[in-house]
Amino acid sequence: MQKWTLFLVVAVLALSSACSRAKGPEMKVTSLRCEYLENPLGIDETRPRLSWVLESPERGQYQSAYRILVASSPETLAGDQGDLWDTGKVYGDQTTQVVYEGKPLTSRLRCCWKVCAWDKNGKLSAFSDPASWSMGLLSAGEWQGKWIGMKAAEIETPADSERLPPGPPAPCLRKAFTLTKPIARATAYVTARGLFVLHLNGRRVSGDVFVPDWTDYHKRIQYCTYDVTGLLAQGQNVVGALVGDGWYSGYLAWTKKRAHYGEQNSLLLNLVVEYRDGSQEVIASDETWRCHESPMVSSDLLMGEDYDARRELPGWDKAGFDDSQWQEVITVDKPEAVLVARCSQPVQVAGHIDPVSVSEPLAGVYVFDLGQNI
């Protein structure tokens, strides 16, 4: 009997030790989100909603209170100071859609934040890793750029053609400029009536595609914000853009015709450069830009893209390129629609598929076997 009692005591102690080890580290605060996005740039919600996730190895653990710090610089936040907002200890288990109630948020302000939480036993966690968001351009008057585009040539389709007429070639737009002082930060605010791809000094600014998102262009147009500090340098620089039809002037599924919202594609850009001495400069889209037809002879979301490699323009988006034979851009009336910040995750290329085989069943007709349905 004593042996069984001793065995039971040992088993209980072993189980208790295992449970103690299973508890592991304290509760953690992770996955910080502002307006449901991770470290968003250029939001226009002046009372953004903040959310986070709790992680704990202990079953049934929960948050009994939290504290949020929001600061105007990483250095201030690292010192556990919230010069924009310090909630203090707030009792409750809310971890989503906590509305910002700090100092008023102004255009282009950068906000750094972090969260700590108390668990069900009143034990305080460490602060989360820092996260951030930045504000966009909150008033229309801050847009110094003009809407610019390229005057499209008339496209004629034979009367007996059964094919719907294509759109005009997508234009390349470019502007060379000089930055005279060391750069602290640079931010591009950009949109289009149509779709755009933005370039700086020979490189795409981002991997985003199909931007801006589809909206009712009569009511609102979304703009995108990009941190382009690493793409600029003191001295000569070039900003360029390709502008395609997209939903604005391309074919829409139910209409069987182009230009549901408008015919003339156009670009709007504010490139704000902040110098280390505290001054700033804005490179904006205006009538000093130059334009030329790109190799994209036509580009449509439904009709596909025709690309003529013979018309490529090597180096068109780099300094030193000769654009003396390019046209002057045209300026386009600004829309009545309100400019709003993008509020969604960007669409980006997730992967590439190489064909398993390529065959030519008829002369000039090629079949690509990708090895899967697509």
Side-chain angles (χ1 to χ4, degrees):
M1 183 67 179
Q2 290 180 344
K3 292 182 178 180
W4 283 106
T5 302
L6 178 61
F7 174 79
L8 181 60
V9 170
V10 171
V12 169
L13 289 175
L15 179 61
S16 175
S17 177
C19 290
S20 177
R21 289 195 303 271
K23 287 185 179 181
E26 63 187 14
M27 185 173 69
K28 294 173 58 179
V29 181
T30 66
S31 305
L32 273 60
R33 298 290 186 271
C34 172
E35 285 297 292
Y36 315 105
L37 300 172
E38 183 178 359
N39 299 326
L41 296 176
I43 69 172
D44 57 7
E45 175 56 63
T46 56
R47 297 181 64 207
R49 291 153 291 192
L50 308 178
S51 304
W52 57 90
V53 172
L54 301 173
E55 294 182 2
S56 173
E58 182 180 350
R59 183 189 291 267
Q61 188 56 271
Y62 62 85
Q63 170 188 288
S64 61
Y66 65 84
R67 181 188 180 193
I68 302 173
L69 295 180
V70 183
S72 58
S73 71
E75 294 76 19
T76 302
L77 189 69
D80 293 341
Q81 300 295 315
D83 60 337
L84 295 177
W85 193 33
D86 182 347
T87 64
K89 186 175 183 179
V90 178
Y91 289 92
D93 59 1
Q94 184 179 4
T95 60
T96 62
Q97 300 185 28
V98 177
V99 177
Y100 173 84
E101 299 286 359
K103 293 181 180 178
L105 301 177
T106 56
S107 291
R108 300 177 37 239
L109 178 66
R110 288 170 173 81
C111 304
C112 307
W113 66 294
K114 60 184 179 181
V115 183
C116 63
W118 286 261
D119 67 13
K120 66 179 182 181
N121 301 312
K123 183 179 180 182
L124 175 62
S125 76
F127 272 109
S128 66
D129 291 337
S132 65
W133 81 82
S134 70
M135 303 304 295
L137 303 181
L138 302 182
S139 67
E142 295 177 87
W143 286 92
Q144 296 184 29
K146 299 178 181 178
W147 289 89
I148 61 172
M150 180 177 181
K151 185 176 181 180
E154 294 291 333
I155 298 176
E156 295 184 3
T157 303
D160 58 352
S161 174
E162 295 182 357
R163 181 182 179 185
L164 293 171
C172 295
L173 312 175
R174 76 184 302 271
K175 168 70 176 180
F177 59 96
T178 301
L179 299 178
T180 58
K181 293 180 284 187
I183 303 163
R185 183 178 291 111
T187 308
Y189 304 91
V190 57
T191 188
R193 282 179 279 190
L195 300 178
F196 72 84
V197 178
L198 188 65
H199 292 235
L200 273 173
N201 294 327
R203 295 172 59 186
R204 283 187 60 158
V205 166
S206 81
D208 297 357
V209 296
F210 306 135
V211 284
D213 294 349
W214 186 7
T215 56
D216 184 340
Y217 294 90
H218 301 312
K219 295 181 179 179
R220 71 187 195 280
I221 301 174
Q222 291 192 355
Y223 67 87
C224 302
T225 303
Y226 299 108
D227 184 340
V228 296
T229 308
L231 298 178
L232 295 175
Q234 187 174 350
Q236 289 293 313
N237 294 269
V238 169
V239 58
L242 291 168
V243 182
D245 291 353
W247 297 281
Y248 180 74
S249 62
Y251 285 96
L252 295 182
W254 68 91
T255 64
K256 294 186 179 180
K257 63 180 182 179
R258 298 185 65 254
H260 180 75
Y261 297 102
E263 181 70 31
Q264 177 65 57
N265 298 327
S266 54
L267 178 82
L268 177 67
L269 170 75
N270 261 32
L271 175 55
V272 182
V273 180
E274 302 171 48
Y275 293 116
R276 293 179 186 174
D277 65 4
S279 62
Q280 71 175 41
E281 183 176 355
V282 178
I283 291 85
S285 51
D286 59 21
E287 57 277 344
T288 64
W289 286 48
R290 310 285 287 178
C291 62
H292 196 282
E293 291 183 354
S294 77
M296 284 186 283
V297 178
S298 65
S299 178
D300 189 271
L301 292 171
L302 298 182
M303 301 301 174
E305 179 180 294
D306 292 333
Y307 187 91
D308 186 345
R310 299 169 299 180
R311 303 172 62 171
E312 289 185 348
L313 302 163
W316 71 273
D317 54 356
K318 296 180 179 179
F321 179 82
D322 182 9
D323 63 6
S324 60
Q325 301 303 310
W326 284 31
Q327 303 176 29
E328 295 180 351
V329 298
I330 61 172
T331 57
V332 183
D333 290 340
K334 64 180 182 181
E336 295 183 1
V338 177
L339 289 175
V340 298
R342 178 171 64 179
C343 56
S344 60
Q345 293 282 6
V347 178
Q348 296 187 336
V349 175
H352 296 268
I353 301 174
D354 293 324
V356 175
S357 64
V358 181
S359 60
E360 188 179 5
L362 298 172
V365 177
Y366 298 91
V367 176
F368 293 82
D369 182 356
L370 298 178
Q372 69 175 67
N373 292 335
I374 186 170

